């Protein structure tokens, strides 16, 4: 029942009109950090949309993009600033392999204790975490953000290092659709 519209954080200067939800996939934003930083108008629109309750689901590189900055060995780049955290690039993987997570009560995307399987591969770590940050996942297998938690939950935003196995956990799409429908009504 959803219409999918693609956007590029590198070349689109604004979000599409009538957007009911946003999925930001993984990748390697540190490779394009200068270009992502330069797209100030889109970063600000995403930040404001998240603050206003737009459902946003972000995985790995999406988590990094939604934070305040990405710090490489050479430079620090400003990102969206929606989440109170920075990411610091590391010389070796910080989390790598298959994951099993359990949904915590601190998020609106999954029923509590839902088992979420996926994978992670990240060469960054989350630093400078703001106070009162809520985690939506408990790590059963893997590393996540701190070895015990993943899935930062803020308003209708859910951002994790974990790349969900969508067929193994259809609840994520159901959660997205539910939150998008509620967002449209408000």
């Amino acid at each position: 029942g959803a219409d999918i519209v693609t956007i590029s954080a590198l070349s689109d200067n604004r979000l599409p009109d009538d957007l009911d939800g946003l999925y930001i996939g993984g990748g390697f934003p540190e490779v394009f950090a200068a270009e992502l930083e330069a797209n100030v108008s889109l970063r600000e629109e995403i930040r404001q949309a998240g603050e206003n309750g737009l459902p946003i689901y972000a995985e790995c590189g999406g988590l990094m993009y939604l934070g305040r900055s990405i710090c490489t060995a050479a430079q620090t780049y400003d990102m969206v600033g929606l989440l109170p955290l920075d990411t610091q690039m590391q010389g070796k993987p910080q989390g790598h392999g298959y994951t099993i997570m359990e949904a915590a009560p601190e998020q609106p995307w999954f029923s509590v204790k839902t088992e979420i399987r996926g994978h992670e591969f990240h060469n960054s770590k989350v630093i400078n975490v703001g106070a009162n940050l809520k985690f939506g996942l408990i790590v059963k297998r893997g590393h996540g953000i701190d070895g015990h938690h993943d899935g930062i939950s803020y308003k209708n935003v859910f951002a994790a290092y974990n790349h969900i196995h969508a067929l193994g956990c259809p609840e994520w799409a159901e959660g997205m659709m539910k939150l998008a429908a509620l967002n449209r009504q408000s």
Side-chain angles (χ1 to χ4, degrees), residues 62-77:
L63 162 71
M64 297 167 68
Y65 181 59
L66 291 178
R68 291 181 298 240
S69 69
I70 295 175
C71 308
T72 68
Q75 189 172 340
T76 298
Y77 299 92

Side-chain angles (χ1 to χ4, degrees), residues 99-104 110-118 137-138 140 162 164-165 168-172:
T99 59
I100 300 173
M101 308 280 175
E102 181 180 288
F110 305 98
S111 297
V112 175
K113 297 199 179 272
T114 297
E115 184 177 271
I116 299 158
R117 293 179 178 265
L137 298 176
I138 300 164
K140 298 295 184 183
N162 187 62
I164 197 167
H165 184 278
C169 187
E171 293 89 351
W172 87 268

Side-chain angles (χ1 to χ4, degrees), residues 9 23 26 47-49 59 146 152 155 157:
Y23 167 79
R47 188 192 67 72
Q48 194 59 54
E59 293 181 335
D146 64 3
I152 293 169
K155 297 189 177 185
V157 176

Side-chain angles (χ1 to χ4, degrees), residues 58-135:
E59 293 181 335
C60 200
L63 162 71
M64 297 167 68
Y65 181 59
L66 291 178
R68 291 181 298 240
S69 69
I70 295 175
C71 308
T72 68
Q75 189 172 340
T76 298
Y77 299 92
D78 290 336
M79 292 293 120
V80 172
L82 180 59
L83 300 177
L85 59 87
D86 301 291
T87 52
Q88 173 73 55
M89 299 310 302
Q90 303 294 300
K92 62 181 183 176
Q94 301 298 295
H96 182 236
Y98 291 114
T99 59
I100 300 173
M101 308 280 175
E102 181 180 288
E106 298 293 334
Q107 49 73 38
W109 291 83
F110 305 98
S111 297
V112 175
K113 297 199 179 272
T114 297
E115 184 177 271
I116 299 158
R117 293 179 178 265
H119 75 275
E120 62 184 345
F121 179 73
H122 55 99
N123 291 334
S124 65
K125 67 179 182 178
V126 170
I127 60 171
N128 304 325
V129 176
N132 302 319
L133 192 66
K134 295 178 183 175
F135 292 102

Side-chain angles (χ1 to χ4, degrees), residues 2-7 15-24 46 49-50 53-58 109 156-157 172-173 175-184:
D3 293 323
I4 298 174
V5 178
T6 59
I7 63 170
L15 291 172
D17 294 331
D18 297 326
L19 189 68
D20 296 319
L22 181 62
Y23 167 79
I24 305 173
I46 292 171
L54 181 74
I56 301 174
Y57 192 94
W109 291 83
N156 286 332
V157 176
W172 87 268
M176 171 67 96
M177 296 302 291
K178 178 182 84 176
L179 289 171
L182 289 172
N183 183 58
R184 179 168 278 280

